[in-house]
Amino acid sequence: MRIRPRRLRNGETLRKMVRETRIDASSLIYPLFVKEGKGVLEEIPTMPGQYRYSVDTMGKKLEELLRAGVSAVMFFGIPAYKDEMGSGAYAQDGVIQKALMQTKRDFPELYLITDVCMCEYTSHGHCGVLCGRDVDNDETLKLLAGTALSHAQAGADMVAPSDMMDGRVAAIRERLDENGYINTPILSYAVKYASAFYGPFRDAAGSAPAFGDRKSYQMDYHNSREGMKEALLDIEEGADIIMVKPAMSYLDMVARIKERVNIPVAAYSVSGEYAMIKAGARLGYIDEEKIICETAASAFRAGCDIYLTYYAEEVARYIQEGKIG
């Protein structure tokens, strides 16, 4: 036989030389939960090894991330009080705003991204202002734009709207620009499916809806053309990066969107993915380290340029050790 594909698999050095997918720690973002209060260090029951931190306790974790080579963090806020308007999201002294200011002082080398949504801050757990039992899309846009601006003012390097309201990227871009934040990028959760994989996150953030579900604004997981439509609309509105969420079951969307767009594509390996790996490893059914490497590589192989994962620290370490990348 003249053609033998196995020739290029003969030895670790050669396999790495011809590797098609390359991974770098600079592409990783770590999601971090910041809770109002002091002295908070609460392990999340459904996400073993992940914690809720207060502003005064998160420093140790941020140091660990930097030592591992992870230079970007996405903050998710858990306020002390919630109300129907989600006012803690855009309060100047909100938990995310305080976390941003503190981190900018203590860790100026970190790149800070903020989740822009209302669900963690509303008493009803939905991602916007209610009109009866429905989310009022256009009224919510005003609050989302105000939230994004308050984050930029507090030191956010990038804002990431995750609410799935129609027109939110344009509303945020306009508000940021008119206030002088023309260089603050928007990472849009453009292709966000209504997924059971979010369950542990809702436990972590206390953001489960008090009634109904989010299927009227998050996408039906049966649809792929609709995902492309959402991505292209957000790019037209000014998104700088497009995200697909979740990652594991939606890598087909990462690949399809990567082929169509000319901006970076991100994938979010969400809480349910993390919890499944942890549970399987705890039971001895899978090798946690190998699964972490494989799932990360699959996301980059599908075409993502940026990978959000609760395993960011571990992935960065495995890259340094030559186990992945």
Side-chain angles (χ1 to χ4, degrees), residues 136-309:
D136 188 323
N137 190 98
D138 294 4
E139 285 301 312
T140 299
L141 296 184
K142 302 172 186 176
L143 302 185
L144 294 170
T147 299
L149 177 60
S150 73
H151 290 178
Q153 291 170 332
D157 297 298
M158 179 185 291
V159 295
S162 63
D163 53 283
M164 288 298 286
M165 296 298 115
D166 293 339
R168 85 264 202 223
V169 171
I172 290 170
R173 184 75 273 157
E174 182 178 1
R175 185 72 63 87
L176 290 174
D177 287 358
E178 66 188 16
N179 284 274
Y181 293 95
I182 59 172
N183 291 320
T184 300
I186 297 174
L187 188 168
S188 172
Y189 289 65
V191 188
K192 181 178 179 180
Y193 288 91
S195 172
F197 282 100
Y198 304 149
F201 176 94
R202 292 173 182 172
D203 173 47
S207 62
F211 61 88
D213 54 40
R214 296 179 178 144
K215 293 181 180 179
S216 68
Y217 40 102
Q218 294 177 1
M219 287 175 48
D220 182 344
Y221 60 73
H222 296 83
N223 298 349
S224 59
R225 287 181 298 175
E226 183 185 12
M228 185 64 66
K229 175 182 178 180
E230 289 280 7
L232 295 177
L233 279 172
D234 282 7
I235 292 171
E236 186 179 323
E237 291 179 17
D240 300 283
I241 302 171
I242 290 296
M243 186 195 291
V244 175
K245 180 183 179 185
M248 183 186 292
S249 293
Y250 300 88
L251 295 182
D252 62 315
M253 293 307 303
V254 173
R256 290 189 64 181
I257 289 167
K258 181 70 172 182
E259 291 176 357
R260 287 281 303 276
V261 307
N262 59 0
I263 67 172
V265 177
Y268 192 157
S269 181
V270 298
S271 59
E273 299 172 52
Y274 175 90
M276 288 195 307
I277 294 172
K278 278 291 183 184
R282 185 173 64 250
L283 292 169
Y285 294 165
I286 58 173
D287 184 313
E288 183 175 12
E289 179 181 299
K290 290 180 179 178
I291 292 289
I292 291 169
C293 293
E294 191 171 335
T295 52
S298 69
F300 284 96
R301 188 185 67 240
C304 86
D305 304 288
I306 299 167
Y307 189 50
L308 290 87
T309 173

Side-chain angles (χ1 to χ4, degrees), residues 81-150:
Y81 304 101
K82 303 185 180 189
D83 57 37
E84 288 191 356
M85 300 296 289
S87 59
Y90 44 87
Q92 294 301 312
D93 61 348
V95 62
I96 289 298
Q97 289 79 356
K98 289 187 284 191
L100 287 165
M101 290 185 282
Q102 183 72 37
T103 306
K104 275 299 177 188
R105 286 194 295 268
D106 295 347
F107 301 95
E109 64 271 50
L110 272 175
Y111 193 85
L112 305 182
I113 308 165
T114 58
D115 177 74
V116 177
C117 195
M118 309 297 294
C119 63
E120 298 107 310
Y121 304 92
T122 55
S123 54
H124 45 75
H126 280 283
C127 298
V129 181
L130 294 182
C131 180
R133 293 175 70 88
D134 294 323
V135 175
D136 188 323
N137 190 98
D138 294 4
E139 285 301 312
T140 299
L141 296 184
K142 302 172 186 176
L143 302 185
L144 294 170
T147 299
L149 177 60
S150 73

Side-chain angles (χ1 to χ4, degrees), residues 21-38:
T21 302
R22 307 282 179 173
I23 305 172
D24 189 274
S26 63
S27 302
L28 303 172
I29 300 173
Y30 180 76
L32 190 142
F33 298 97
V34 189
K35 185 175 180 178
E36 191 71 72
K38 292 185 178 181

